[in-house]
Amino acid sequence: MKILLIHCHYRLPGGEDAVFAAERALLEEPGHAVLTYERASGEAARGPAGRLLPLRAVWNRRAAREVAALIRREGVDAVHIHNTLLALSPAVVRAARACGVPVVQTLHNFRLFCPNGVLLRDGAVCEDCPARGLQCALRHRCYRGSLAQTAVVAAAYALHRRLGTWRGVTLLAPTEFDRAKLLEFNRLRPLFDPERLAVKPNPVRLPRQAALPWAARRDQVVFAGRLEELKGLRTVLEAWALLGPDAPELLVAGTGPLEAWARQHAGPRVRILGQLPPEELARHMAESRAVAAASLCYESFALVPAEAHALGTPVLASDLGNVGASVRPGVDGLRFAPGDAAALAAAVRQLAGMTFDCAAIAAEARRRYSEEENYRALMRAYAKDQA
């Protein structure tokens, strides 16, 4: 197949950029001809073009015209769109559909229904926009704390909802939780064909070594991720304070705005490791009894639990969103009430008396996130009849 990938890179590289690169490599490896149409948010904001950015974020006529010309000139068989904010606009989705080829878009977040994309406001889950309309985002300045920028994003999605831009497009959600939420919101404000919404997990780094047996693991738990409020770091450190000297050792890996606070409040059973290379972090996770994922928001994919499970490591997960949905209690981890340090401490105590089949946890995760399964999911999406 000849496949066109479309993506607007963020100013700071993130998970969506990593998925775009990984899936490009996944498609090129078996011999597909992969073309790309890429832009960067930063380039659109510089110079005279920056003054036109609000209009182009709503409808980028040039990008739509160039995408259509590329599809026709190169004889593209399928188009896969990732991010269109801000430099491309959803107009490229309509342009690709007008060419009569299968069009797929990965929904890396909830931006179809929520301008800030993450269903979060003032540190708590918020579903006002899906339920009451995009004016809620304007009232609270939900995109980057700016009324003007929020208005641009809301205008783009309000217009393309009315135009039916996502009708006939195959949409991919990274998790079953995301799919269920999107279907729930779509029933309130229909904008896509529900039968065209499928699940395709994001690529996950999969280890080659066998999972370490439960009995051979160290009495330690890893917290990995950005050190910020939304990841639940305060909850974790407060739980370890409650556990006292009998707690397993807690390894905190990452950096962020709470790093100085964490170093100040780390107890005797807590080690702050800072940002680690991926290989070193994986080694710590692979030899630990559990990974703590204490998120206070839905998350977009719950990558840390996926990587932990691929190593055969159980996860202590807050019972919220994708993090909670990633865990089967008693099988590959335990859940606790989000933000509840006492509940997390109780889960750690419960963990001490349990045994897990680490090889089975790893086998299931490696099957679910394998390159082969990822590739088959992409091929199924590209083959959908778009008539």
Side-chain angles (χ1 to χ4, degrees), residues 1-233:
M1 295 181 70
K2 185 174 284 189
I3 302 160
L4 173 62
L5 303 183
I6 299 175
H7 182 50
C8 182
H9 297 268
Y10 292 102
R11 295 185 188 185
L12 297 176
E16 295 181 30
D17 301 312
V19 172
F20 174 79
E23 290 187 354
R24 176 180 181 177
L26 189 65
L27 293 167
E28 288 176 335
E29 199 276 332
H32 296 293
V34 179
L35 309 174
T36 65
Y37 185 84
E38 301 175 64
R39 290 292 182 268
S41 294
E43 73 183 40
R46 292 194 294 266
R51 292 190 291 272
L52 297 175
L53 180 59
L55 294 176
R56 289 178 175 169
V58 176
W59 190 286
N60 191 326
R61 183 181 302 176
R62 177 180 175 182
R65 185 171 61 246
E66 290 176 349
V67 163
L70 182 59
I71 292 170
R72 295 187 178 107
R73 183 176 67 250
E74 297 293 336
V76 167
D77 297 304
V79 176
H80 189 161
I81 300 165
H82 287 267
N83 178 46
T84 64
L85 190 80
L86 293 160
L88 293 176
S89 85
V92 297
V93 182
R94 293 183 61 82
R97 283 285 296 123
C99 292
V101 298
V103 178
V104 174
Q105 182 169 358
T106 295
L107 301 181
H108 293 280
N109 49 53
F110 295 99
R111 193 160 277 123
L112 288 186
F113 298 96
C114 166
N116 76 16
V118 293
L119 297 172
L120 190 73
R121 178 166 57 83
D122 298 332
V125 170
C126 173
E127 298 184 5
D128 284 354
C129 283
R132 303 175 189 172
L134 296 174
Q135 68 274 8
C136 296
L138 294 173
R139 184 164 62 251
H140 299 290
R141 306 184 179 206
C142 289
Y143 186 74
R144 296 182 177 175
S146 165
L147 177 61
Q149 294 185 65
T150 303
V152 169
V153 177
Y157 284 92
L159 172 64
H160 287 278
R161 282 182 183 183
R162 289 195 292 270
L163 294 175
T165 292
W166 292 279
R167 296 290 185 182
V169 175
T170 296
L171 301 174
L172 300 179
T175 68
E176 289 288 352
F177 175 84
D178 280 20
R179 181 177 183 273
K181 274 292 172 189
L182 288 162
L183 289 173
E184 174 188 330
F185 299 154
N186 197 59
R187 286 191 290 270
L188 296 172
R189 301 179 184 278
L191 59 91
F192 61 80
D193 305 319
E195 69 276 8
R196 290 188 178 276
L197 177 61
V199 173
K200 193 206 77 65
N202 290 342
V204 174
R205 289 192 302 268
L206 297 180
R208 295 183 179 180
Q209 73 270 23
L212 197 65
W214 179 253
R217 291 175 175 249
R218 296 175 181 270
D219 187 25
Q220 65 185 30
V221 175
V222 173
F223 175 94
R226 184 166 168 78
L227 306 188
E228 63 179 353
E229 296 284 353
L230 295 179
K231 297 296 184 181
L233 178 61

Side-chain angles (χ1 to χ4, degrees), residues 245-274:
D246 296 329
E249 187 172 29
L250 175 66
L251 308 182
V252 178
T255 187
L258 285 184
E259 183 172 358
W261 176 89
R263 292 185 183 279
Q264 181 181 355
H265 291 84
R269 296 294 292 163
V270 178
R271 272 201 291 155
I272 309 296
L273 304 179

Side-chain angles (χ1 to χ4, degrees), residues 178-359:
D178 280 20
R179 181 177 183 273
K181 274 292 172 189
L182 288 162
L183 289 173
E184 174 188 330
F185 299 154
N186 197 59
R187 286 191 290 270
L188 296 172
R189 301 179 184 278
L191 59 91
F192 61 80
D193 305 319
E195 69 276 8
R196 290 188 178 276
L197 177 61
V199 173
K200 193 206 77 65
N202 290 342
V204 174
R205 289 192 302 268
L206 297 180
R208 295 183 179 180
Q209 73 270 23
L212 197 65
W214 179 253
R217 291 175 175 249
R218 296 175 181 270
D219 187 25
Q220 65 185 30
V221 175
V222 173
F223 175 94
R226 184 166 168 78
L227 306 188
E228 63 179 353
E229 296 284 353
L230 295 179
K231 297 296 184 181
L233 178 61
R234 290 186 190 273
T235 304
V236 175
L237 291 190
E238 288 168 6
W240 253 253
L242 292 174
L243 289 166
D246 296 329
E249 187 172 29
L250 175 66
L251 308 182
V252 178
T255 187
L258 285 184
E259 183 172 358
W261 176 89
R263 292 185 183 279
Q264 181 181 355
H265 291 84
R269 296 294 292 163
V270 178
R271 272 201 291 155
I272 309 296
L273 304 179
Q275 192 70 37
L276 298 179
E279 298 78 13
E280 188 176 349
L281 175 59
R283 178 176 60 79
H284 285 303
M285 292 168 67
E287 62 188 20
S288 297
R289 287 290 176 94
V291 165
S295 182
L296 302 178
C297 61
Y298 284 159
E299 297 281 1
S300 58
F301 175 61
L303 179 61
V304 169
E307 292 180 340
H309 284 154
L311 293 162
T313 305
V315 176
L316 299 173
S318 59
D319 194 4
L320 180 70
N322 279 309
V323 169
S326 70
V327 167
R328 296 166 295 169
V331 176
D332 53 18
L334 296 169
R335 297 178 190 163
F336 62 93
D340 189 333
L344 173 55
V348 174
R349 295 189 188 98
Q350 183 180 352
L351 185 78
M354 300 179 69
T355 300
F356 287 89
D357 187 340
C358 299

